[in-house]
Amino acid sequence: MGSRDNGLPPKENTLFKSIVKFYETKQYKKGLKAADTVLKKFPEHGETLAMKGLILNCMERKAEAYELVRKGVKLDIKSHVCWHVYGLLYRSDREYTQAIKCYRGALRHDKDNIQILRDLSMLQVQMRDLKGFVETRQQVLTLKPTNRNNWFSFAVAQHLRGRHVAAKNIVESYEKTLEGTPENEYEHGEMLLYKNLLLEESGDLPRALEHLEECESQLVDKLFYKHKRAELLLQLERYSEAEEVYRALLKRNSEHFGYHAGLQAAVLRTSKVVERWHTEAVSADAEAKLLALYAGLQAELPKSTTCKRLPLDFAQQPDAFGSALAAYVLPFVRKGVPSIFNNLKPLCSCAPKRAQMRTIFDGWLTALEATGCLPDSKEREIPTTVMWVRALVAQLADLCGDTKSALEHLDKAIEHTPTLLDLYVIKGKVYKHAGDLQRAAEWMEKARNMDLADRCAAAAAARRRPRRRRAAGPQSRQGGVRATSTAAAN
């Protein structure tokens, strides 16, 4: 807590230091015992009273803690230890403004105490006092310039105030203090990437790209290097180079939406990056370019589901949307993936696409019931395909508010495969959306009973179960527990 002479004899002073050590190692009972030993001889020693209060606060005896710390401050108002402890007490109760006042009171009596300065800076950034945060971190750096963390904390403080050039200069000043090979190559690489971020945010994009390429050999995170280089090339409107990098990244991870968005922007020759197009306007020219792009990507990356899903967002022409929908949905329907409709929900915010989806699904269902094959196909589908298409049709009808149609299709699907738990869950959700919570709970309970080991079904049933009112009179312990659990689950 500090090196100030606390007025105690050597024996008690050693005991006081042990109190601080016990607090820091969370040995609160031993700390309390040591504090009481000191206070028996010196009952009005302010710093010991403050430390005892701090320990009591950690033992959830807050009223006693505040009383002792306040008494300690009154008895030794010039002690930075007492004021620091008072601040720690307020900080534990999240009263940060009062804690800052206490820390400043401590610094009036020990202005160069690094621990207090660090605690103060933490609360300043918490309270968004960025000006004070900069001043405090600068003071800490001045007192201990050999600590690397102090350099970067000061740089971050300037960064938060929007002073990117000043933050970059601080990082460069620290670089000049380095000699020989870095001890930790990864941390050194992260420092260079932070400097690169400062260059980018300052608006000097050409210099940011130049710096990134200069320090490539010193970076451990090669994947981030490629990602950042592609972003900078895109912002500098060097679209061909950006496209080449993004294609290489997609070969590494074809499901990354950020890589797809960057590649799309490069192909469209724009620096505006859009991850999901269903909320954006798409011109005919942009649609044509993107459709051509993904036709090539699907051939190049046949296992990528994202390459099949993204065209549904930007496809506007009915033929293009229909073929994209079939290419994406049918493999999941044939495999029996219950969650496929959740991936299609965002498309339903567009009325034309919602209507076309309903028409397409109805067409699939009609053809499967009549011939066992999908439209424009002579290959016979497996028996479960018609059941899953019915589930899709029912979920889409439910989303459109057509509860009657949704229930009819679900009844037929359950008749087809009465042992499939997911159909019961979907039916429970349809009743819930219609406002019939009692029936929703009943169907969810049926689903739960079909597989008692299925935690997902059990959780869904618990959420739909209606609340039970407790009886006015005394009840058994079991009944009380069940009522409480039910209320919590709802």
Side-chain angles (χ1 to χ4, degrees):
M1 285 288 178
S3 59
R4 168 184 176 269
D5 181 13
N6 55 23
L8 291 172
K11 182 180 177 181
E12 281 71 22
N13 187 40
T14 303
L15 202 55
F16 177 79
K17 290 178 180 178
S18 72
I19 299 171
V20 177
K21 190 176 293 184
F22 286 138
Y23 164 72
E24 290 173 348
T25 56
K26 298 184 179 181
Q27 300 181 62
Y28 301 131
K29 289 184 178 179
K30 290 183 179 179
L32 204 58
K33 186 177 179 180
D36 288 335
T37 304
V38 175
L39 291 172
K40 278 181 183 179
K41 287 188 177 182
F42 301 93
E44 294 190 349
H45 187 255
E47 293 184 0
T48 305
L49 286 167
M51 284 305 303
K52 182 179 178 180
L54 186 60
I55 291 171
L56 288 173
N57 182 63
C58 296
M59 299 172 73
E60 301 300 326
R61 293 162 64 179
K62 288 188 176 293
E64 296 176 66
Y66 272 100
E67 184 181 347
L68 284 171
V69 173
R70 287 181 182 127
K71 184 179 178 182
V73 171
K74 287 178 182 177
L75 290 170
D76 196 352
I77 201 166
K78 291 186 178 181
S79 167
H80 70 275
V81 173
C82 293
W83 282 106
H84 190 191
V85 168
Y86 205 7
L88 293 173
L89 216 61
Y90 276 122
R91 189 183 72 178
S92 70
D93 289 334
R94 299 184 182 181
E95 295 193 28
Y96 300 132
T97 304
Q98 294 298 326
I100 288 173
K101 290 179 181 178
C102 293
Y103 289 156
R104 290 194 183 283
L107 290 170
R108 278 197 295 270
H109 306 294
D110 189 2
K111 64 179 181 179
D112 293 338
N113 189 302
I114 289 181
Q115 184 58 53
I116 299 174
L117 287 167
R118 284 175 181 164
D119 288 347
L120 174 61
S121 69
M122 292 280 286
L123 292 189
Q124 285 173 327
V125 75
Q126 176 79 16
M127 300 299 289
R128 302 299 186 268
D129 178 13
L130 299 182
K131 182 179 178 182
F133 182 52
V134 169
E135 293 171 356
T136 304
R137 293 314 311 187
Q138 185 174 14
Q139 187 178 350
V140 172
L141 177 60
T142 305
L143 290 169
K144 202 166 184 179
T146 55
N147 190 318
R148 178 184 56 187
N149 293 334
N150 294 341
W151 285 92
F152 285 97
S153 296
F154 185 36
V156 169
Q158 295 284 18
H159 187 185
L160 290 173
R161 289 206 74 190
R163 299 173 176 175
H164 300 96
V165 176
K168 177 181 70 70
N169 291 338
I170 293 166
V171 176
E172 288 177 346
S173 298
Y174 172 72
E175 279 186 277
K176 292 176 183 177
T177 66
L178 300 176
E179 295 179 0
T181 307
E183 292 181 8
N184 189 312
E185 292 182 358
Y186 182 80
E187 289 183 0
H188 182 71
E190 292 300 302
M191 179 196 73
L192 295 173
L193 288 174
Y194 179 60
K195 180 181 175 181
N196 188 261
L197 174 66
L198 294 170
L199 286 168
E200 180 187 355
E201 292 189 1
S202 67
D204 192 354
L205 297 179
R207 174 59 190 143
L209 179 60
E210 182 184 351
H211 171 263
L212 186 69
E213 291 174 342
E214 284 173 0
C215 62
E216 178 188 1
S217 59
Q218 302 176 65
L219 299 177
V220 177
D221 193 344
K222 299 298 184 183
L223 180 62
F224 185 81
Y225 163 77
K226 293 177 181 178
H227 186 188
K228 178 54 67 177
R229 182 168 179 267
E231 286 183 351
L232 291 172
L233 288 169
L234 197 62
Q235 292 179 67
L236 289 167
E237 300 182 357
R238 292 163 61 175
Y239 300 122
S240 299
E241 295 174 73
E243 180 180 347
E244 183 180 345
V245 179
Y246 276 121
R247 285 184 181 275
L249 286 169
L250 279 175
K251 287 181 180 178
R252 185 185 182 104
N253 182 359
S254 61
E255 311 298 334
H256 195 296
F257 276 76
Y259 299 163
H260 282 279
L263 179 59
Q264 291 167 18
V267 168
L268 295 175
R269 297 297 189 263
T270 176
S271 55
K272 181 184 177 182
V273 178
V274 180
E275 284 200 5
R276 301 306 293 262
W277 286 92
H278 58 264
T279 57
E280 299 284 336
V282 185
S283 66
D285 181 54
E287 181 188 3
K289 288 181 179 178
L290 291 174
L291 287 173
L293 168 66
Y294 277 88
L297 285 175
Q298 287 169 14
E300 189 178 347
L301 306 167
K303 293 184 179 180
S304 172
T305 56
T306 304
C307 288
K308 296 177 182 177
R309 172 62 182 82
L310 287 176
L312 293 173
D313 289 342
F314 54 75
Q316 304 296 315
Q317 300 300 320
D319 292 343
F321 180 79
S323 59
L325 185 70
Y328 177 68
V329 174
L330 286 175
F332 290 107
V333 169
R334 291 180 178 123
K335 289 179 182 178
V337 178
S339 61
I340 180 59
F341 185 73
N342 291 331
N343 291 337
L344 301 176
K345 273 185 182 179
L347 302 172
C348 297
S349 59
C350 175
K353 288 185 178 180
R354 184 172 64 244
Q356 189 177 355
M357 283 168 63
R358 201 162 185 183
T359 302
I360 291 171
F361 291 162
D362 286 341
W364 290 355
L365 185 58
T366 302
L368 285 167
E369 288 179 332
T371 64
C373 304
L374 289 165
D376 303 324
S377 173
K378 294 182 180 180
E379 185 178 348
R380 196 169 186 81
E381 298 291 332
I382 59 176
T384 55
T385 303
V386 66
M387 180 267 297
W388 283 113
V389 171
R390 278 199 183 281
L392 270 181
V393 172
Q395 290 176 91
L396 186 55
D398 175 43
L399 191 141
C400 296
D402 190 352
T403 304
K404 182 179 178 182
S405 175
L407 291 174
E408 287 175 356
H409 285 294
L410 282 172
D411 286 339
K412 290 181 181 178
I414 291 172
E415 184 181 349
H416 182 280
T417 311
T419 56
L420 184 61
L421 179 150
D422 297 285
L423 297 175
Y424 294 80
V425 172
I426 294 170
K427 191 167 183 178
K429 289 180 179 179
V430 171
Y431 275 118
K432 177 203 168 189
H433 298 155
D436 191 342
L437 298 183
Q438 183 62 43
R439 288 191 178 180
E442 290 172 3
W443 281 97
M444 288 295 184
E445 190 66 18
K446 286 182 181 179
R448 186 185 73 84
N449 288 326
M450 292 178 71
D451 186 357
L452 296 175
D454 191 323
R455 294 183 181 182
C456 181
R463 286 198 302 271
R464 303 294 177 266
R465 192 179 298 146
R467 295 173 184 265
R468 296 180 183 177
R469 293 185 178 179
R470 290 190 179 185
Q475 57 185 343
S476 68
R477 182 174 179 82
Q478 184 181 2
V481 171
R482 285 179 61 82
T484 305
S485 302
T486 304
N490 280 280

